[in-house]
PDB file of all heavy atoms in Angstrom:
ATOM      1  N   GLY A   1      34.704 234.893 299.068  1.00 62.00           N
ATOM      2  CA  GLY A   1      33.299 235.068 299.438  1.00 62.00           C
ATOM      3  C   GLY A   1      32.976 234.417 300.766  1.00 62.00           C
ATOM      4  O   GLY A   1      33.650 234.634 301.769  1.00 62.00           O
ATOM      5  N   SER A   2      31.933 233.585 300.782  1.00 54.00           N
ATOM      6  CA  SER A   2      31.491 232.914 302.011  1.00 54.00           C
ATOM      7  C   SER A   2      32.338 231.695 302.341  1.00 54.00           C
ATOM      8  O   SER A   2      32.094 231.024 303.336  1.00 54.00           O
ATOM      9  CB  SER A   2      30.027 232.481 301.862  1.00 54.00           C
ATOM     10  OG  SER A   2      29.206 233.578 301.612  1.00 54.00           O
ATOM     11  N   PHE A   3      33.351 231.390 301.514  1.00 55.00           N
ATOM     12  CA  PHE A   3      34.118 230.166 301.690  1.00 55.00           C
ATOM     13  C   PHE A   3      35.438 230.417 302.426  1.00 55.00           C
ATOM     14  O   PHE A   3      35.702 229.848 303.471  1.00 55.00           O
ATOM     15  CB  PHE A   3      34.408 229.531 300.325  1.00 55.00           C
ATOM     16  CG  PHE A   3      33.173 229.028 299.620  1.00 55.00           C
ATOM     17  CD1 PHE A   3      32.412 229.861 298.831  1.00 55.00           C
ATOM     18  CD2 PHE A   3      32.786 227.704 299.767  1.00 55.00           C
ATOM     19  CE1 PHE A   3      31.276 229.391 298.189  1.00 55.00           C
ATOM     20  CE2 PHE A   3      31.648 227.224 299.129  1.00 55.00           C
ATOM     21  CZ  PHE A   3      30.890 228.076 298.347  1.00 55.00           C
ATOM     22  N   THR A   4      36.284 231.258 301.870  1.00 57.00           N
ATOM     23  CA  THR A   4      37.600 231.498 302.456  1.00 57.00           C
ATOM     24  C   THR A   4      38.084 232.854 301.956  1.00 57.00           C
ATOM     25  O   THR A   4      37.375 233.538 301.213  1.00 57.00           O
ATOM     26  CB  THR A   4      38.569 230.361 302.071  1.00 57.00           C
ATOM     27  OG1 THR A   4      39.815 230.562 302.736  1.00 57.00           O
ATOM     28  CG2 THR A   4      38.796 230.299 300.581  1.00 57.00           C
ATOM     29  N   GLN A   5      39.282 233.269 302.337  1.00 59.00           N
ATOM     30  CA  GLN A   5      39.731 234.619 301.999  1.00 59.00           C
ATOM     31  C   GLN A   5      39.930 234.821 300.497  1.00 59.00           C
ATOM     32  O   GLN A   5      39.494 235.814 299.938  1.00 59.00           O
ATOM     33  CB  GLN A   5      41.041 234.933 302.722  1.00 59.00           C
ATOM     34  CG  GLN A   5      41.506 236.367 302.506  1.00 59.00           C
ATOM     35  CD  GLN A   5      42.782 236.691 303.266  1.00 59.00           C
ATOM     36  OE1 GLN A   5      43.399 235.804 303.852  1.00 59.00           O
ATOM     37  NE2 GLN A   5      43.181 237.944 303.264  1.00 59.00           N
ATOM     38  N   PHE A   6      40.593 233.846 299.851  1.00 66.00           N
ATOM     39  CA  PHE A   6      40.837 233.943 298.421  1.00 66.00           C
ATOM     40  C   PHE A   6      40.455 232.644 297.720  1.00 66.00           C
ATOM     41  O   PHE A   6      40.384 231.598 298.352  1.00 66.00           O
ATOM     42  CB  PHE A   6      42.299 234.270 298.121  1.00 66.00           C
ATOM     43  CG  PHE A   6      42.728 235.626 298.606  1.00 66.00           C
ATOM     44  CD1 PHE A   6      43.588 235.742 299.678  1.00 66.00           C
ATOM     45  CD2 PHE A   6      42.240 236.767 298.004  1.00 66.00           C
ATOM     46  CE1 PHE A   6      43.984 236.991 300.133  1.00 66.00           C
ATOM     47  CE2 PHE A   6      42.633 238.019 298.446  1.00 66.00           C
ATOM     48  CZ  PHE A   6      43.501 238.137 299.524  1.00 66.00           C
ATOM     49  N   SER A   7      40.231 232.738 296.435  1.00 85.00           N
ATOM     50  CA  SER A   7      39.888 231.553 295.644  1.00 85.00           C
ATOM     51  C   SER A   7      40.392 231.725 294.223  1.00 85.00           C
ATOM     52  O   SER A   7      40.854 232.803 293.838  1.00 85.00           O
ATOM     53  CB  SER A   7      38.369 231.348 295.620  1.00 85.00           C
ATOM     54  OG  SER A   7      37.758 232.339 294.807  1.00 85.00           O
ATOM     55  N   HIS A   8      40.281 230.657 293.455  1.00 93.00           N
ATOM     56  CA  HIS A   8      40.496 230.730 292.013  1.00 93.00           C
ATOM     57  C   HIS A   8      39.166 230.459 291.329  1.00 93.00           C
ATOM     58  O   HIS A   8      38.489 229.487 291.655  1.00 93.00           O
ATOM     59  CB  HIS A   8      41.529 229.688 291.561  1.00 93.00           C
ATOM     60  CG  HIS A   8      42.924 230.017 291.965  1.00 93.00           C
ATOM     61  ND1 HIS A   8      43.536 229.429 293.055  1.00 93.00           N
ATOM     62  CD2 HIS A   8      43.839 230.869 291.434  1.00 93.00           C
ATOM     63  CE1 HIS A   8      44.769 229.906 293.171  1.00 93.00           C
ATOM     64  NE2 HIS A   8      44.970 230.780 292.202  1.00 93.00           N
ATOM     65  N   GLU A   9      38.812 231.325 290.420  1.00 95.00           N
ATOM     66  CA  GLU A   9      37.625 231.128 289.591  1.00 95.00           C
ATOM     67  C   GLU A   9      38.068 230.729 288.188  1.00 95.00           C
ATOM     68  O   GLU A   9      39.212 230.963 287.786  1.00 95.00           O
ATOM     69  CB  GLU A   9      36.809 232.419 289.493  1.00 95.00           C
ATOM     70  CG  GLU A   9      36.235 232.902 290.796  1.00 95.00           C
ATOM     71  CD  GLU A   9      35.584 234.274 290.666  1.00 95.00           C
ATOM     72  OE1 GLU A   9      35.875 234.999 289.686  1.00 95.00           O
ATOM     73  OE2 GLU A   9      34.811 234.617 291.561  1.00 95.00           O
ATOM     74  N   PHE A  10      37.124 230.160 287.455  1.00 97.00           N
ATOM     75  CA  PHE A  10      37.307 229.929 286.029  1.00 97.00           C
ATOM     76  C   PHE A  10      36.229 230.759 285.349  1.00 97.00           C
ATOM     77  O   PHE A  10      35.034 230.494 285.500  1.00 97.00           O
ATOM     78  CB  PHE A  10      37.191 228.443 285.701  1.00 97.00           C
ATOM     79  CG  PHE A  10      38.307 227.640 286.295  1.00 97.00           C
ATOM     80  CD1 PHE A  10      38.251 227.214 287.611  1.00 97.00           C
ATOM     81  CD2 PHE A  10      39.437 227.340 285.542  1.00 97.00           C
ATOM     82  CE1 PHE A  10      39.293 226.501 288.180  1.00 97.00           C
ATOM     83  CE2 PHE A  10      40.488 226.622 286.098  1.00 97.00           C
ATOM     84  CZ  PHE A  10      40.418 226.199 287.421  1.00 97.00           C
ATOM     85  N   GLN A  11      36.663 231.807 284.653  1.00 97.00           N
ATOM     86  CA  GLN A  11      35.749 232.773 284.064  1.00 97.00           C
ATOM     87  C   GLN A  11      35.756 232.644 282.541  1.00 97.00           C
ATOM     88  O   GLN A  11      36.811 232.651 281.912  1.00 97.00           O
ATOM     89  CB  GLN A  11      36.156 234.206 284.453  1.00 97.00           C
ATOM     90  CG  GLN A  11      36.004 234.543 285.929  1.00 97.00           C
ATOM     91  CD  GLN A  11      34.593 234.997 286.269  1.00 97.00           C
ATOM     92  OE1 GLN A  11      33.716 235.032 285.405  1.00 97.00           O
ATOM     93  NE2 GLN A  11      34.368 235.352 287.527  1.00 97.00           N
ATOM     94  N   THR A  12      34.540 232.547 281.971  1.00 97.00           N
ATOM     95  CA  THR A  12      34.388 232.474 280.516  1.00 97.00           C
ATOM     96  C   THR A  12      33.962 233.833 279.991  1.00 97.00           C
ATOM     97  O   THR A  12      32.987 234.423 280.482  1.00 97.00           O
ATOM     98  CB  THR A  12      33.341 231.420 280.131  1.00 97.00           C
ATOM     99  OG1 THR A  12      33.782 230.139 280.582  1.00 97.00           O
ATOM    100  CG2 THR A  12      33.161 231.365 278.613  1.00 97.00           C
ATOM    101  N   ILE A  13      34.682 234.323 279.006  1.00 97.00           N
ATOM    102  CA  ILE A  13      34.396 235.643 278.441  1.00 97.00           C
ATOM    103  C   ILE A  13      33.073 235.606 277.678  1.00 97.00           C
ATOM    104  O   ILE A  13      32.898 234.827 276.747  1.00 97.00           O
ATOM    105  CB  ILE A  13      35.538 236.094 277.504  1.00 97.00           C
ATOM    106  CG1 ILE A  13      36.879 236.086 278.254  1.00 97.00           C
ATOM    107  CG2 ILE A  13      35.232 237.471 276.936  1.00 97.00           C
ATOM    108  CD1 ILE A  13      36.912 236.890 279.533  1.00 97.00           C
ATOM    109  N   THR A  14      32.156 236.450 278.086  1.00 96.00           N
ATOM    110  CA  THR A  14      30.865 236.598 277.405  1.00 96.00           C
ATOM    111  C   THR A  14      30.253 237.934 277.800  1.00 96.00           C
ATOM    112  O   THR A  14      30.323 238.336 278.972  1.00 96.00           O
ATOM    113  CB  THR A  14      29.886 235.463 277.756  1.00 96.00           C
ATOM    114  OG1 THR A  14      28.586 235.787 277.264  1.00 96.00           O
ATOM    115  CG2 THR A  14      29.796 235.205 279.248  1.00 96.00           C
ATOM    116  N   GLY A  15      29.661 238.606 276.840  1.00 94.00           N
ATOM    117  CA  GLY A  15      29.013 239.880 277.114  1.00 94.00           C
ATOM    118  C   GLY A  15      27.851 239.762 278.078  1.00 94.00           C
ATOM    119  O   GLY A  15      27.423 240.754 278.678  1.00 94.00           O
ATOM    120  N   ALA A  16      27.331 238.535 278.238  1.00 93.00           N
ATOM    121  CA  ALA A  16      26.208 238.314 279.147  1.00 93.00           C
ATOM    122  C   ALA A  16      26.671 238.069 280.579  1.00 93.00           C
ATOM    123  O   ALA A  16      25.838 237.906 281.477  1.00 93.00           O
ATOM    124  CB  ALA A  16      25.378 237.124 278.672  1.00 93.00           C
ATOM    125  N   GLY A  17      27.973 238.048 280.807  1.00 93.00           N
ATOM    126  CA  GLY A  17      28.500 237.757 282.135  1.00 93.00           C
ATOM    127  C   GLY A  17      28.222 238.863 283.138  1.00 93.00           C
ATOM    128  O   GLY A  17      28.105 240.032 282.774  1.00 93.00           O
ATOM    129  N   GLU A  18      28.163 238.489 284.408  1.00 92.00           N
ATOM    130  CA  GLU A  18      27.890 239.442 285.482  1.00 92.00           C
ATOM    131  C   GLU A  18      29.161 239.932 286.158  1.00 92.00           C
ATOM    132  O   GLU A  18      29.117 240.833 286.994  1.00 92.00           O
ATOM    133  CB  GLU A  18      26.971 238.794 286.527  1.00 92.00           C
ATOM    134  CG  GLU A  18      25.596 238.432 285.972  1.00 92.00           C
ATOM    135  CD  GLU A  18      24.708 237.788 287.025  1.00 92.00           C
ATOM    136  OE1 GLU A  18      25.245 237.262 288.031  1.00 92.00           O
ATOM    137  OE2 GLU A  18      23.482 237.814 286.849  1.00 92.00           O
ATOM    138  N   ASP A  19      30.303 239.329 285.827  1.00 95.00           N
ATOM    139  CA  ASP A  19      31.575 239.708 286.446  1.00 95.00           C
ATOM    140  C   ASP A  19      32.428 240.534 285.489  1.00 95.00           C
ATOM    141  O   ASP A  19      32.307 240.404 284.264  1.00 95.00           O
ATOM    142  CB  ASP A  19      32.365 238.467 286.864  1.00 95.00           C
ATOM    143  CG  ASP A  19      31.696 237.710 287.987  1.00 95.00           C
ATOM    144  OD1 ASP A  19      31.032 238.349 288.826  1.00 95.00           O
ATOM    145  OD2 ASP A  19      31.820 236.473 288.031  1.00 95.00           O
ATOM    146  N   THR A  20      33.279 241.352 286.053  1.00 97.00           N
ATOM    147  CA  THR A  20      34.275 242.088 285.279  1.00 97.00           C
ATOM    148  C   THR A  20      35.643 241.540 285.647  1.00 97.00           C
ATOM    149  O   THR A  20      36.004 241.474 286.822  1.00 97.00           O
ATOM    150  CB  THR A  20      34.226 243.594 285.585  1.00 97.00           C
ATOM    151  OG1 THR A  20      32.926 244.093 285.247  1.00 97.00           O
ATOM    152  CG2 THR A  20      35.271 244.346 284.775  1.00 97.00           C
ATOM    153  N   VAL A  21      36.381 241.091 284.642  1.00 97.00           N
ATOM    154  CA  VAL A  21      37.712 240.535 284.878  1.00 97.00           C
ATOM    155  C   VAL A  21      38.728 241.269 284.018  1.00 97.00           C
ATOM    156  O   VAL A  21      38.393 241.846 282.980  1.00 97.00           O
ATOM    157  CB  VAL A  21      37.757 239.023 284.584  1.00 97.00           C
ATOM    158  CG1 VAL A  21      36.817 238.275 285.517  1.00 97.00           C
ATOM    159  CG2 VAL A  21      37.416 238.724 283.126  1.00 97.00           C
ATOM    160  N   PHE A  22      39.976 241.216 284.479  1.00 97.00           N
ATOM    161  CA  PHE A  22      41.078 241.820 283.735  1.00 97.00           C
ATOM    162  C   PHE A  22      42.002 240.687 283.305  1.00 97.00           C
ATOM    163  O   PHE A  22      42.557 239.972 284.144  1.00 97.00           O
ATOM    164  CB  PHE A  22      41.798 242.849 284.608  1.00 97.00           C
ATOM    165  CG  PHE A  22      40.965 244.062 284.893  1.00 97.00           C
ATOM    166  CD1 PHE A  22      40.018 244.053 285.899  1.00 97.00           C
ATOM    167  CD2 PHE A  22      41.109 245.211 284.119  1.00 97.00           C
ATOM    168  CE1 PHE A  22      39.232 245.166 286.154  1.00 97.00           C
ATOM    169  CE2 PHE A  22      40.325 246.335 284.359  1.00 97.00           C
ATOM    170  CZ  PHE A  22      39.379 246.312 285.378  1.00 97.00           C
ATOM    171  N   VAL A  23      42.137 240.524 281.991  1.00 97.00           N
ATOM    172  CA  VAL A  23      42.759 239.324 281.429  1.00 97.00           C
ATOM    173  C   VAL A  23      44.122 239.623 280.812  1.00 97.00           C
ATOM    174  O   VAL A  23      44.287 240.601 280.074  1.00 97.00           O
ATOM    175  CB  VAL A  23      41.848 238.704 280.339  1.00 97.00           C
ATOM    176  CG1 VAL A  23      42.474 237.436 279.778  1.00 97.00           C
ATOM    177  CG2 VAL A  23      40.461 238.418 280.898  1.00 97.00           C
ATOM    178  N   ASP A  24      45.093 238.769 281.131  1.00 96.00           N
ATOM    179  CA  ASP A  24      46.373 238.741 280.425  1.00 96.00           C
ATOM    180  C   ASP A  24      46.279 237.604 279.415  1.00 96.00           C
ATOM    181  O   ASP A  24      46.354 236.427 279.784  1.00 96.00           O
ATOM    182  CB  ASP A  24      47.524 238.504 281.398  1.00 96.00           C
ATOM    183  CG  ASP A  24      48.889 238.608 280.720  1.00 96.00           C
ATOM    184  OD1 ASP A  24      49.031 238.084 279.595  1.00 96.00           O
ATOM    185  OD2 ASP A  24      49.813 239.188 281.313  1.00 96.00           O
ATOM    186  N   MET A  25      46.072 237.945 278.157  1.00 93.00           N
ATOM    187  CA  MET A  25      45.844 236.953 277.109  1.00 93.00           C
ATOM    188  C   MET A  25      47.035 236.012 276.931  1.00 93.00           C
ATOM    189  O   MET A  25      46.873 234.820 276.665  1.00 93.00           O
ATOM    190  CB  MET A  25      45.548 237.638 275.776  1.00 93.00           C
ATOM    191  CG  MET A  25      44.273 238.448 275.775  1.00 93.00           C
ATOM    192  SD  MET A  25      42.830 237.394 275.826  1.00 93.00           S
ATOM    193  CE  MET A  25      41.533 238.588 275.503  1.00 93.00           C
ATOM    194  N   GLN A  26      48.245 236.546 277.064  1.00 92.00           N
ATOM    195  CA  GLN A  26      49.439 235.738 276.849  1.00 92.00           C
ATOM    196  C   GLN A  26      49.624 234.691 277.942  1.00 92.00           C
ATOM    197  O   GLN A  26      49.935 233.541 277.673  1.00 92.00           O
ATOM    198  CB  GLN A  26      50.683 236.641 276.782  1.00 92.00           C
ATOM    199  CG  GLN A  26      50.699 237.600 275.594  1.00 92.00           C
ATOM    200  CD  GLN A  26      50.700 236.861 274.265  1.00 92.00           C
ATOM    201  OE1 GLN A  26      51.401 235.867 274.100  1.00 92.00           O
ATOM    202  NE2 GLN A  26      49.908 237.340 273.316  1.00 92.00           N
ATOM    203  N   LYS A  27      49.380 235.081 279.191  1.00 93.00           N
ATOM    204  CA  LYS A  27      49.592 234.183 280.323  1.00 93.00           C
ATOM    205  C   LYS A  27      48.359 233.352 280.666  1.00 93.00           C
ATOM    206  O   LYS A  27      48.422 232.496 281.542  1.00 93.00           O
ATOM    207  CB  LYS A  27      50.048 234.977 281.540  1.00 93.00           C
ATOM    208  CG  LYS A  27      51.411 235.627 281.355  1.00 93.00           C
ATOM    209  CD  LYS A  27      51.890 236.294 282.632  1.00 93.00           C
ATOM    210  CE  LYS A  27      53.304 236.856 282.441  1.00 93.00           C
ATOM    211  NZ  LYS A  27      53.807 237.507 283.672  1.00 93.00           N
ATOM    212  N   LYS A  28      47.241 233.628 279.988  1.00 92.00           N
ATOM    213  CA  LYS A  28      45.990 232.910 280.234  1.00 92.00           C
ATOM    214  C   LYS A  28      45.567 233.012 281.703  1.00 92.00           C
ATOM    215  O   LYS A  28      45.069 232.072 282.307  1.00 92.00           O
ATOM    216  CB  LYS A  28      46.114 231.436 279.839  1.00 92.00           C
ATOM    217  CG  LYS A  28      46.113 231.181 278.345  1.00 92.00           C
ATOM    218  CD  LYS A  28      44.731 231.346 277.734  1.00 92.00           C
ATOM    219  CE  LYS A  28      43.806 230.226 278.103  1.00 92.00           C
ATOM    220  NZ  LYS A  28      42.480 230.352 277.450  1.00 92.00           N
ATOM    221  N   LEU A  29      45.808 234.188 282.279  1.00 93.00           N
ATOM    222  CA  LEU A  29      45.414 234.460 283.658  1.00 93.00           C
ATOM    223  C   LEU A  29      44.528 235.688 283.698  1.00 93.00           C
ATOM    224  O   LEU A  29      44.610 236.563 282.834  1.00 93.00           O
ATOM    225  CB  LEU A  29      46.635 234.709 284.542  1.00 93.00           C
ATOM    226  CG  LEU A  29      47.455 233.507 285.007  1.00 93.00           C
ATOM    227  CD1 LEU A  29      48.651 233.987 285.811  1.00 93.00           C
ATOM    228  CD2 LEU A  29      46.611 232.557 285.844  1.00 93.00           C
ATOM    229  N   ALA A  30      43.675 235.764 284.720  1.00 95.00           N
ATOM    230  CA  ALA A  30      42.812 236.930 284.878  1.00 95.00           C
ATOM    231  C   ALA A  30      42.671 237.263 286.358  1.00 95.00           C
ATOM    232  O   ALA A  30      42.934 236.433 287.230  1.00 95.00           O
ATOM    233  CB  ALA A  30      41.442 236.659 284.259  1.00 95.00           C
ATOM    234  N   VAL A  31      42.243 238.486 286.610  1.00 95.00           N
ATOM    235  CA  VAL A  31      41.992 238.949 287.970  1.00 95.00           C
ATOM    236  C   VAL A  31      40.586 239.524 288.018  1.00 95.00           C
ATOM    237  O   VAL A  31      40.213 240.335 287.173  1.00 95.00           O
ATOM    238  CB  VAL A  31      43.006 240.037 288.395  1.00 95.00           C
ATOM    239  CG1 VAL A  31      42.754 240.465 289.832  1.00 95.00           C
ATOM    240  CG2 VAL A  31      44.436 239.536 288.235  1.00 95.00           C
ATOM    241  N   ASN A  32      39.799 239.064 288.984  1.00 95.00           N
ATOM    242  CA  ASN A  32      38.462 239.612 289.157  1.00 95.00           C
ATOM    243  C   ASN A  32      38.583 241.049 289.653  1.00 95.00           C
ATOM    244  O   ASN A  32      39.430 241.360 290.502  1.00 95.00           O
ATOM    245  CB  ASN A  32      37.670 238.772 290.160  1.00 95.00           C
ATOM    246  CG  ASN A  32      36.182 239.050 290.087  1.00 95.00           C
ATOM    247  OD1 ASN A  32      35.731 240.191 290.208  1.00 95.00           O
ATOM    248  ND2 ASN A  32      35.402 237.996 289.906  1.00 95.00           N
ATOM    249  N   LYS A  33      37.728 241.927 289.139  1.00 94.00           N
ATOM    250  CA  LYS A  33      37.766 243.346 289.494  1.00 94.00           C
ATOM    251  C   LYS A  33      37.681 243.558 290.992  1.00 94.00           C
ATOM    252  O   LYS A  33      38.284 244.492 291.538  1.00 94.00           O
ATOM    253  CB  LYS A  33      36.608 244.075 288.796  1.00 94.00           C
ATOM    254  CG  LYS A  33      36.583 245.576 289.019  1.00 94.00           C
ATOM    255  CD  LYS A  33      35.423 246.213 288.280  1.00 94.00           C
ATOM    256  CE  LYS A  33      35.403 247.720 288.485  1.00 94.00           C
ATOM    257  NZ  LYS A  33      34.278 248.353 287.744  1.00 94.00           N
TER     258      LYS A  33
END
């Protein structure tokens, strides 16, 4: 975003969330859409 080219977020799964992420449950990793 306004900070640098890439970042790491910590995203909590909730239906009320504004982001869409793609999650690998086994590796506990996700990618923002």
Side-chain angles (χ1 to χ4, degrees):
S2 301
F3 293 86
T4 184
Q5 185 178 7
F6 295 109
S7 72
H8 288 100
E9 296 173 341
F10 293 83
Q11 293 275 2
T12 298
I13 304 305
T14 170
E18 296 180 339
D19 293 328
T20 300
V21 298
F22 291 82
V23 181
D24 186 318
M25 296 289 190
Q26 295 298 318
K27 295 186 176 180
K28 286 286 288 183
L29 282 177
V31 182
N32 196 305
K33 183 179 181 179

